[in-house]
Amino acid sequence: MGVAGSGKSTVASIVARTLDWDLLEGDDLHPPANCAKMAAGQPLTDADRRPWLAAVAEWMSEEFAAGRSGVVACSALKRSYRDILRASRIGHPDADLTFVHLTGARAVLRARLLARTDHFMPPDLLTSQLETLEPPDPDERVVTLEINRPPAEVADAALAALRPHS
């Protein structure tokens, strides 16, 4: 989890590949209207995000029901959004869910957003994401990692933190 430019997709891909777990790129479940809104430089509202988060949670619930482990790259900016994702565990008492919060300096995030050309999220929306972000509380079962190193090293740190749960 984290704001745009934090490396969610890259780190999630490395972690999933290393653990041989299923991977969901949360952005793939955004409805076209959300993608168009963001591409136009308009931040999403809670109402915009609700169906998207429900779709991500449904994927997670299906993974739990099938007895599979997975990795999801998803911004999960607010506690209420993470609560929707946590609800995917309902009916799956043995399901384990840990958030890996990727965080970094605004300048680093902005530089990353300016460098990418293959994403609908424009750099100008970084400010709204940072304003929306509610860093996880200690009771949320979270690992917070700084992104001030290569993605493979961030993924290694995530793996080290998750190993007791994998």
Side-chain angles (χ1 to χ4, degrees):
M1 66 158 283
V3 299
S6 62
K8 296 180 300 290
S9 298
T10 303
V11 171
S13 178
I14 296 168
V15 169
R17 191 172 48 252
T18 301
L19 295 174
D20 195 27
W21 287 1
D22 293 340
L23 172 65
L24 172 66
E25 171 51 65
D27 284 345
D28 292 346
L29 297 184
H30 270 298
N34 282 9
C35 295
K37 190 172 183 178
M38 288 184 279
Q42 300 172 346
L44 298 180
T45 64
D46 287 353
D48 294 327
R49 287 186 177 102
R50 217 168 281 121
W52 167 66
L53 289 162
V56 172
E58 181 179 338
W59 183 89
M60 293 168 62
S61 183
E62 290 170 3
E63 289 290 293
F64 294 142
R68 293 188 300 261
S69 296
V71 177
V72 177
C74 172
S75 55
L77 297 175
K78 290 184 176 182
R79 184 181 185 114
S80 62
Y81 303 166
R82 295 185 294 274
D83 288 343
I84 291 169
L85 300 178
R86 274 190 281 277
S88 67
R89 296 179 58 228
I90 294 173
H92 311 288
D94 295 332
D96 189 23
L97 176 60
T98 302
F99 290 94
V100 176
H101 178 207
L102 303 179
T103 186
R106 179 186 294 260
V108 171
L109 296 164
R110 183 157 179 74
R112 287 179 173 194
L113 291 174
L114 288 168
R116 69 183 187 187
T117 58
D118 60 344
H119 200 275
F120 55 80
M121 180 77 154
D124 291 343
L125 285 181
L126 177 59
T127 297
S128 72
Q129 286 219 322
L130 290 168
E131 289 171 353
T132 301
L133 177 64
E134 295 173 0
D137 291 316
D139 68 324
E140 290 193 76
R141 191 165 194 184
V142 63
V143 175
T144 300
L145 300 173
E146 289 287 330
I147 61 167
N148 56 355
R149 51 193 160 165
E153 290 180 23
V154 176
D156 286 345
L159 286 161
L162 294 172
R163 289 256 188 247
H165 307 292
S166 61

